[in-house]
Amino acid sequence: MSTAIAPPAIPAATELKVVKDATCTFCGCVCDDMELTVEGNTITKAKNACVLGKAWFLNHHAEERPVATIEGQPATFEQAVERAAQILTNATFPITYGLSDTTCEAQRVAVAISDWIGGTVDTTTSVCHGPSGMAFQGVGEVTCTLGEVKNRADFIIFWGGNPAESHPRHFTKYSLMPKGEFLPNGRKDRTAVLIDVRKTKSARAADIFLQIKPRSDFELAWAMRGIAAGVEIDPDIEKVTGISLDVLKDVVAQMKQAKFGVILFGMGLTMTRGKHINSEAVLALARDMNKYTRFTAKPMRGHGNVTGADNVVTWQTGYPFGVNLNRGYPRFNPGEFTTSDVLARGEADAAMIIASDPMSNFSQPARDHLRSIPSVVLDPKLSDTAKVATVAFTTSVYGINTPGTVYRMDDVPISLRPAFDSPYPSDLEVLKAIEKRVKEILQARS
Amino acid sequence: MSQLKISGGTVYDPKNGVDGVIRDIWIENGRVVAAPTDANQKAHRVLDATGLVVMPGGVDMHCHIAGPKVNTARKMMPETKRLAEKVHRTPLTRSGTMGSVPSTFATGYKYAGMGYTTAFDAAIPPLAARHVHEEFGDTPIIDKGFFVLVGNNHYVLQQIRDNEPEKLKGFIGWLLNAAKGYAAKIVNPGGVEIWKSGGGDAAGLDSPVDHFGVTPRQIVTGVAQAAMDLGLPHPVHIHCNNLGLPGNWQTTLATMQALEGRRAHLTHIQFHSYGGNPDDQSTFCSEVPRLAEYFNTHPNLTTDVGQVLFGETTSMTGDGPLGYFLHQVYGRKWFSSDTEMEAGCGVVPITYKDKSRVHALQWAIGLEWYLLVDDPWRVAMSTDHPNGGSFLAYPEIIALLMDRTRREEVLKRVHPKVKDGCTLVDLKREYTLNEIAIITRAAPARMLGLDRKGHLGIGADADVTIYTPSPDIQRMFELPRYVIHHGELVVEQGDIRKTFEGKLLHVAPSYDESLVGDIQTWFEKYYSIQFANYPVDESYLHEHEVVATRR
Ligand code: SF4
Ligand SMILES: [Zn+2]
């Protein structure tokens, strides 16, 4: 960490090294088999990475930016920590948001700060698989780790997602292609179904493609549950969903005959009409199939450590996202305490955004409000959100510069093996410094 | 470091034969030390315990407090928290939530507040060990460790099938090192693998396991032997097959017999002591007397009870098919997760009702176990938290054991047919304070092989709980006057005075390292993570202690 105002000097390292078993945090696959060739401060090769992973590793250049800025002007780390702590402790409704692209170690401190200041803590789950989280609270979930999919799943349904492009190694590493313990022939031993509104690249990989009408996911899942249970289904289902009853019956029959099935669902399901009831229908469908065989379901999570964020927020507060600590104890209410809603209603009077860019994807009213309140932003890049921050910290990149823990989409925790040091502090270091200062300020007040 | 003297308390320290004797306890550097030879020497600090009851800190040897299934249960049940007790933030402590599965900070504070200073999570898939270590880092004050699931591990099943006891032993040694775990746990041996590979369960001790052709019996004896050969401080920890099914007592008895004198711990035995016909719930009854008779005469065995209490709780288990069974019985939401190569998991909310004949019998069966085991050193208190009820129910159980009129009161209000299905009405035994000290600290510490816990002799960890005696026994044990952990005053009358992380307790048995190549080859074929990324490194451990193996 630097105390100087000028951008920290990037050490001119020329040493060449290879980091094996490193982890890519670019998507929820969290592939931990990267072999990184590192020359000084650049990664020149990322063996085993997909196109997205390669872009993530190879295009990583430390930017020459100040360690911190206050109102756009370069500041020392200490000045920035002081100002951040003042902002957070002077607010009556501070909100902490983001967290899905940082380590669990940093997430733990972020929740701690939110607790000490009586704030609200929320993660990007609230804008991606939040509905799945709520569905989960309704019906539960029958699921498994990705290694189970690899070793056993002879029937795979991808629903509302395009893994070929969003999770490029999912097919080869976990789901479609690999030879597994009980599936010695790999792809030949599996049947794959894709259910989506568009014929994406993933369709080519599937044996059966069900192109459904937009916004009819719930109806489709419900009809499939009905068919499985032997309920007479109105053939009009085809008008609603675009899929004929016969085709549906056939798919359900195949599901029953499978030895081990899995439904991998994406945001195409959770963020379309119906939202959490769509997830609920799909979770219930997978659950019901256990009357006949083994069947599981799993949301395809996007961000590298969004699953870690769900876990950390849950173990510390009891709830996965959208947690308010203002009364001195945790309360949970999606819609009431989720960031996009809190901001859009103009409620928060300060914000701390960690490794996320709400200014580039929240609604206009939410962005307008965020711009109008004091904020603390931690980001390796000068994101749109960092640009409007009162205090912005430039941080090192998790997995590339800093160690720590991330959780894969199936809750498997993995340790990162960083490639090279960054002159910038990690999220963890910044948050720890802020927490220390926040506690001092609060102690002096009480 | 300064000396602390706990002066004038009435001490119950069964391991050292101290049964209600007034004496001083001297503490220095976190340990109990000898009283100074110079009778005039003054301690730097004195805690006046005159008129109070002094015991070692409580030890919970079987609970579920961290890791994937515990956290899933927290996530899945927001509805149990709004009305539950609030755990407020204070300048010293973090906020949290209760319900049947408290958040991590709340768990640490509540255990300590109740005078328990050590707890072991009983069922962790080693692939998730890192998760547990992270949660332990946020579970303050108490010392803790966890048991590693091995009873459905594919490498274990293969070595048993191939009759390779050396490789089995080496693997378990390697695995405990990799996970930084404490003991080898088997859950529904073979049955979980049957469930994972297509549904169903192991019918009994001799049902072959799909793909592997081994039987639960072979798994039980193989792992029991390996744990002994590794010299683990705690023997194999067994959750028998057929949990919860009427008639399962025969499987439990057969498991005890199969051990043929090998050391073993049979956990939450209440759930495994049922008579009756599996297809007819109305025949459900207790078979504790017959099991206890065998147990009493076989000193290689120890047990904890898994007491059921009436109210809302959560069933959480590494026993995947059991989760499905409970989901079918109660029709409530159900979480199940299968971990590659290793384990299963089930989480289902459950409400034990005193007007239900089966539930009331389960309650009675647990108490029968406490009352029918002759030697309290062989039975530890547990609710299998949160399965039978919360760990916070221990004071209530203590009161039930010490006061038979209290048991009779409950029997009056529960389902009337309970009396016919068990022997509880006839059991007049009442526990003494000394016996309570045994089953809540001395015995579990001994079963775990923790030489410095569960007693107050010289060299013991200075974990001390000081109670205000009261005719209201439950109240006495709910609200200790003082709790001292590692020589520090951590709780005073329910208020947290000091927090720290607490220690991880784990084992590091030596094993034949030439076997690692074989393990690696197998691992790389089937796991979805890299072999090098599997072991948990020391950065996760913070303060920790390796408990020595026995040779
Ligand atoms: S699939 Fe995802 S985690 Fe794997 S290399 Fe590609 S971007 Fe990285
Ligand atoms: Zn248990």
Side-chain angles (χ1 to χ4, degrees), chain B residues 4 18 37 41 71 92-93 101 112 145 174 179-180 207 212 249 251-252 256 318 370 412 417 420 445 466 480 527 546:
Chain B
L4 167 68
V18 180
T37 40
Q41 191 180 319
N71 215 30
L92 192 64
T93 60
V101 191
W174 170 82
K180 304 285 188 286
S207 311
F212 295 93
W249 76 282
T251 306
T252 310
M256 294 188 199
Y370 289 111
K412 276 184 209 151
K417 288 222 176 102
D420 312 332
I466 303 174
Y527 271 86
V546 174

Side-chain angles (χ1 to χ4, degrees), chain B residues 306-530:
Chain B
Q307 179 67 39
V308 156
L309 296 121
F310 304 117
E312 282 283 342
T313 193
T314 307
S315 165
M316 61 169 72
T317 173
D319 193 340
L322 171 65
Y324 184 53
F325 170 76
L326 292 174
H327 164 62
Q328 285 177 306
V329 171
Y330 296 110
R332 297 175 69 171
K333 57 188 169 186
W334 167 44
F335 175 79
S336 168
S337 181
D338 298 342
T339 300
E340 62 209 62
M341 316 313 294
E342 297 183 348
C345 161
V347 181
V348 178
I350 189 164
T351 309
Y352 288 109
K353 299 178 181 142
D354 56 6
K355 300 298 183 224
S356 148
R357 198 182 71 91
V358 169
H359 293 170
L361 268 168
Q362 289 181 297
W363 170 84
I365 288 167
L367 293 174
E368 280 187 293
W369 266 106
Y370 289 111
L371 298 167
L372 287 172
V373 171
D374 298 334
D375 177 4
W377 284 96
R378 294 177 51 217
V379 58
M381 180 167 294
S382 80
T383 56
D384 187 14
H385 163 84
N387 285 288
S390 167
F391 63 85
L392 291 166
Y394 293 165
E396 181 183 342
I397 302 172
I398 292 171
L400 288 164
L401 296 178
M402 292 186 70
D403 177 2
R404 75 166 191 256
T405 57
R406 186 162 170 160
R407 303 199 288 265
E408 286 157 7
E409 290 300 313
V410 180
L411 277 169
K412 276 184 209 151
R413 71 175 160 89
V414 301
H415 193 286
K417 288 222 176 102
V418 164
K419 297 182 198 77
D420 312 332
C422 69
T423 63
L424 185 63
V425 199
D426 309 324
L427 301 177
K428 306 294 177 212
R429 181 174 169 191
E430 290 183 330
Y431 268 61
T432 63
L433 270 183
N434 195 56
E435 287 175 319
I436 293 296
I438 294 172
I439 66 169
T440 57
R441 41 268 280 168
R446 176 180 287 180
M447 293 171 194
L448 288 163
L450 291 170
D451 294 338
R452 295 205 316 274
K453 302 253 181 231
H455 73 103
L456 297 171
I458 291 164
D461 286 349
D463 304 348
V464 190
T465 305
I466 303 174
Y467 301 100
T468 311
S470 159
D472 183 343
I473 299 164
Q474 181 172 336
R475 185 76 185 149
M476 164 178 170
F477 282 94
E478 274 171 356
L479 199 64
R481 182 73 187 85
Y482 303 107
V483 182
I484 291 155
H485 187 36
H486 294 307
E488 307 268 4
L489 180 66
V490 289
V491 176
E492 210 177 326
Q493 200 74 16
D495 291 329
I496 305 289
R497 291 283 177 247
K498 189 176 174 83
T499 67
F500 42 79
E501 208 167 75
K503 223 187 246 183
L504 174 81
L505 301 166
H506 65 113
V507 294
S510 53
Y511 58 93
D512 179 357
E513 290 182 17
S514 72
L515 297 171
V516 175
D518 188 59
I519 297 170
Q520 180 170 359
T521 307
W522 163 81
F523 188 105
E524 287 177 345
K525 260 198 242 160
Y526 303 126
Y527 271 86
S528 63
I529 75 167
Q530 296 295 99

